[in-house]
Amino acid sequence: MKIKFALAFLLLSLAFISCDDAKKKDNENETVDVNQTETETNRQEEIDYLAFPDDARVFFKNLEDGQEVTSPVKVEMGVEGIALDPAGDLIENSGHHHIIINGEYFELGETIPMDETNLHYGGAQTEAELDLEPGKYTLTMQYANGYHQSYGKRLSAQINISVVE
């Protein structure tokens, strides 16, 4: 009788341990799902803040492709269909200008570096003066959100200019 009782107790204990392990695994899976959901939500928020209206555009107001200019080069930056706001806050459908000297547009979501060829106008400026030596230049205007994340090719404009003495 004692052996049957001990055997029954052992089987019940093993069953309890198996159930407890299964619950732990379920809880672990739930944690992974929650983390995946949070990550997906964060990605979606980033994508939402990089969305902009179809009719939005940026353009050079005072310069044309192929134009000859003297230094300092005055650049008037235009934007339509999306708000112009200073850098620092992430505001939906909003951004500010950057000028890239002798470079291409930045892909959607790429952070624009700040250096001598990637100029930031995070104060929501719409005009700039560029001190350029005589020569040929490509100027790319790139719009980006408050965190300097590029809106991509669709919110960029590019021209070639020649700076003469």
Side-chain angles (χ1 to χ4, degrees):
M1 176 86 169
K2 288 183 181 179
I3 294 176
K4 286 183 180 178
F5 179 74
L7 187 57
F9 180 75
L10 181 62
L11 289 174
L12 284 173
S13 296
L14 288 173
F16 179 75
I17 291 169
S18 294
C19 288
D20 193 44
D21 285 346
K23 284 182 183 177
K24 284 181 184 175
K25 286 182 182 176
D26 285 345
N27 287 341
E28 288 173 7
N29 289 338
E30 285 177 22
T31 302
V32 170
D33 290 342
V34 169
N35 289 337
Q36 287 175 342
T37 302
E38 286 178 14
T39 301
E40 289 169 5
T41 300
N42 291 341
R43 281 192 207 125
Q44 187 59 47
E45 287 174 0
E46 285 182 19
I47 291 168
D48 291 345
Y49 281 110
L50 289 171
F52 56 90
D54 288 339
D55 64 343
R57 71 183 191 107
V58 296
F59 54 94
F60 291 92
K61 284 182 165 183
N62 66 321
L63 297 173
E64 295 180 18
D65 191 43
Q67 187 172 345
E68 285 189 354
V69 295
T70 57
S71 191
V73 180
K74 183 177 181 179
V75 180
E76 295 176 7
M77 300 170 272
V79 61
E80 292 177 350
I82 188 169
L84 176 68
D85 286 304
D89 292 324
L90 195 56
I91 302 170
E92 208 167 345
N93 292 318
S94 175
H96 61 279
H97 293 286
H98 299 78
I99 294 178
I100 301 143
I101 300 171
N102 292 333
E104 298 295 318
Y105 69 90
F106 283 81
E107 294 291 338
L108 181 69
E110 273 189 89
T111 301
I112 301 171
M114 185 182 296
D115 56 34
E116 63 277 350
T117 60
N118 297 290
L119 310 176
H120 289 234
Y121 298 96
Q125 301 97 314
T126 58
E127 291 186 5
E129 282 195 359
L130 307 178
D131 289 318
L132 299 173
E133 297 293 322
K136 295 182 182 234
Y137 295 89
T138 298
L139 300 181
T140 302
M141 185 184 314
Q142 180 69 69
Y143 215 62
N145 68 17
Y147 291 168
H148 305 285
Q149 295 168 321
S150 171
Y151 281 109
K153 185 175 183 175
R154 284 195 40 230
L155 278 185
S156 70
Q158 189 174 78
I159 59 170
N160 294 297
I161 60 169
S162 294
V163 178
V164 295
E165 291 188 44

